[in-house]
Amino acid sequence: MARVDFPEPVKALIAELKRLPGIGPRSAERMAVWFLQSPKAEPAALSQALLHAKESIVACPICGFFATKSFCSVCDDLKRDDQMICVVEQATDVLPLERSGSFNGRYHCLGGKLSPLDRVSPEDLNISQLLQRIDAHRSEVEIILALGSDVEGEATANYLADMLRGKNCRITRIAQGLPAGGGLEHADELTLMRALQGRRSF
Amino acid sequence: MARVDFPEPVKALIAELKRLPGIGPRSAERMAVWFLQSPKAEPAALSQALLHAKESIVACPICGFFATKSFCSVCDDLKRDDQMICVVEQATDVLPLERSGSFNGRYHCLGGKLSPLDRVSPEDLNISQLLQRIDAHRSEVEIILALGSDVEGEATANYLADMLRGKNCRITRIAQGLPAGGGLEHADELTLMRALQGRRSF
């Protein structure tokens, strides 16, 4: 006998939902059914939001952050400090830094990190744009490397430090140590080693 | 200083994605960024699939399963056994039963289960339609209750059994016991009790 399955439009919807990051076949099925059955679901609203976001969002040509106009809201802001550029891996890394409320300079999004295994080489990252930005500065600029502390983040930081040597800039790196609210018993050895190395007078 | 956030179209997309079942703020953000940055993302395809599914899918007026035409593919199938109706809670419960390949009758989707806490009473379920289907049969029909074995499923099964008493039908219920591939050490006491009660000669 022919096996009964979802009708074609539902299967097409499940197939599209399954492509989302972190969504498996079962979650996709649950979402599709929710869209069809829940009175709270508004598939037309999501449909519209998807198209609108894709059409209107571009990468800022200066820093790589999300922009709707020609430049992003950070690059457009005249009140921000031009003497500091915070280098991050992804455009999304700008948000947590902004939420911390402790940085008022500019950003530069590399668009990834060096990873030979994933075939990400320096040409794939927005590194030449960063060099141009530094060259365009008349006075010394502080380059704050806010990259992850994993192997690829370390490699990217070291590569950038090499590239920036001799330029009119001061290179710093965000501190590594014990996370806020975390006790010593949950910290791994590498974190504790770096926390000790980075100790400051109290 | 003004806090930098995602541009408005991205925030609107995140808000819509966050409404999906099982999706929190961080997953929604990750999905939205994936849609904007990943070369594999096809927001237009999902957008289209959503609209198409919502427009073309209706509940089958006989059994409540998903249908694109006037009736669903099970009710349309002339080769299926009219003498058996398998009662399930949700339209989605039809699929796992079909995948088991061991049932060739008709289905009836209640659209939920009795749950006073969630204010689901018998009038909210497709129970009167089930009674009509049984009354329309000339010969005796077997009603197989394939409801969950949780409290609400039990209550719904008992309520249906009460309602069907005196009708020209035989009421059966799918077996409860040890799941396939599971050892005794992982089974809870209630499952083992029911497995013992439901024992069959070997």
Side-chain angles (χ1 to χ4, degrees):
Chain A
M1 75 190 166
R3 205 205 235 174
V4 170
D5 207 340
F6 286 115
E8 206 44 59
V10 186
K11 281 202 272 183
L13 177 56
I14 292 172
E16 283 301 326
L17 288 168
K18 215 158 55 183
R19 302 180 63 234
L20 290 169
I23 300 300
R26 291 192 75 86
S27 301
E29 206 174 292
R30 195 155 60 101
M31 284 181 188
V33 170
W34 178 82
F35 272 118
L36 295 171
Q37 295 193 325
S38 168
K40 285 186 207 151
E42 289 175 28
L46 175 57
S47 175
Q48 177 59 33
L50 279 164
L51 292 181
H52 183 55
K54 190 69 178 182
E55 276 163 13
S56 58
I57 301 293
V58 291
C60 172
I62 298 177
C63 74
F65 186 60
F66 301 106
T68 44
K69 296 169 292 182
S70 43
F71 300 114
C72 75
S73 57
V74 181
C75 293
D76 255 351
D77 191 346
L78 295 172
K79 288 187 193 145
R80 286 195 164 243
D81 187 352
D82 283 320
Q83 301 310 111
M84 292 198 284
I85 299 179
C86 180
V87 179
V88 295
E89 290 168 12
Q90 296 291 349
T92 41
D93 295 336
V94 169
L95 278 306
L97 286 166
E98 281 297 303
R99 280 170 198 152
S100 79
S102 49
F103 183 68
N104 192 30
R106 309 285 177 178
Y107 289 97
H108 193 87
C109 310
L110 294 175
K113 49 191 173 182
L114 293 179
S115 170
L117 285 176
D118 301 316
R119 300 191 180 199
V120 180
S121 57
E123 300 80 59
D124 299 316
L125 306 180
N126 297 328
I127 294 177
S128 59
Q129 291 91 323
L130 177 63
L131 301 180
Q132 283 168 22
R133 281 180 81 177
I134 296 167
D135 288 340
H137 269 273
R138 283 183 204 164
S139 52
E140 193 191 61
V141 54
E142 179 179 353
I143 304 294
I144 304 171
L145 301 179
L147 306 168
S149 57
D150 52 350
V151 179
E152 292 90 356
E154 297 279 343
T156 312
N158 287 326
Y159 179 84
L160 282 177
D162 279 347
M163 294 296 288
L164 298 177
R165 203 156 291 151
K167 297 266 179 193
N168 189 18
C169 66
R170 197 159 67 90
I171 308 168
T172 59
R173 183 155 186 207
I174 56 168
Q176 293 182 26
L178 221 55
L184 282 182
E185 70 272 29
H186 298 118
D188 59 297
E189 293 130 44
L190 196 58
T191 301
L192 281 179
M193 191 189 86
R194 285 177 179 160
L196 275 170
Q197 286 171 344
R199 68 189 180 277
R200 293 165 64 174
S201 62
F202 189 71
Chain B
M1 74 188 168
R3 207 206 233 173
V4 170
D5 206 341
F6 285 115
E8 206 44 61
V10 185
K11 280 201 274 183
L13 177 57
I14 292 173
E16 283 302 327
L17 290 169
K18 215 157 58 183
R19 303 179 64 234
L20 291 169
I23 299 300
R26 291 191 75 87
S27 301
E29 205 175 290
R30 194 156 61 102
M31 284 179 187
V33 169
W34 179 82
F35 272 119
L36 295 171
Q37 295 193 325
S38 167
K40 285 186 206 151
E42 288 176 27
L46 175 56
S47 176
Q48 177 59 33
L50 279 163
L51 293 181
H52 184 55
K54 188 70 179 182
E55 276 163 13
S56 57
I57 301 293
V58 291
C60 173
I62 300 176
C63 74
F65 187 59
F66 301 105
T68 43
K69 297 170 290 184
S70 42
F71 299 115
C72 75
S73 56
V74 181
C75 293
D76 255 351
D77 191 345
L78 296 172
K79 287 187 195 144
R80 284 193 167 245
D81 187 353
D82 283 320
Q83 300 311 111
M84 293 199 282
I85 299 179
C86 181
V87 179
V88 294
E89 291 169 12
Q90 297 292 350
T92 40
D93 295 336
V94 169
L95 278 304
L97 286 166
E98 281 297 305
R99 280 171 199 152
S100 81
S102 49
F103 183 69
N104 193 29
R106 309 283 177 179
Y107 290 97
H108 192 87
C109 310
L110 294 175
K113 49 191 172 183
L114 293 179
S115 170
L117 285 176
D118 301 318
R119 303 192 176 195
V120 180
S121 58
E123 300 81 57
D124 299 316
L125 306 180
N126 297 328
I127 294 177
S128 59
Q129 291 92 322
L130 177 63
L131 300 180
Q132 284 168 22
R133 283 180 80 176
I134 296 168
D135 288 339
H137 269 272
R138 284 183 204 165
S139 53
E140 192 191 61
V141 55
E142 180 180 353
I143 303 293
I144 304 170
L145 301 178
L147 306 167
S149 56
D150 52 350
V151 179
E152 293 89 357
E154 296 280 342
T156 312
N158 288 326
Y159 179 84
L160 282 177
D162 279 346
M163 295 296 288
L164 298 178
R165 203 156 290 151
K167 298 266 180 193
N168 188 19
C169 66
R170 195 160 67 90
I171 308 169
T172 58
R173 183 153 186 208
I174 56 167
Q176 294 182 26
L178 221 55
L184 282 182
E185 69 272 29
H186 298 118
D188 60 297
E189 294 130 43
L190 197 59
T191 301
L192 280 179
M193 191 188 86
R194 286 177 178 159
L196 274 171
Q197 286 171 344
R199 67 189 180 279
R200 294 165 65 174
S201 61
F202 188 71

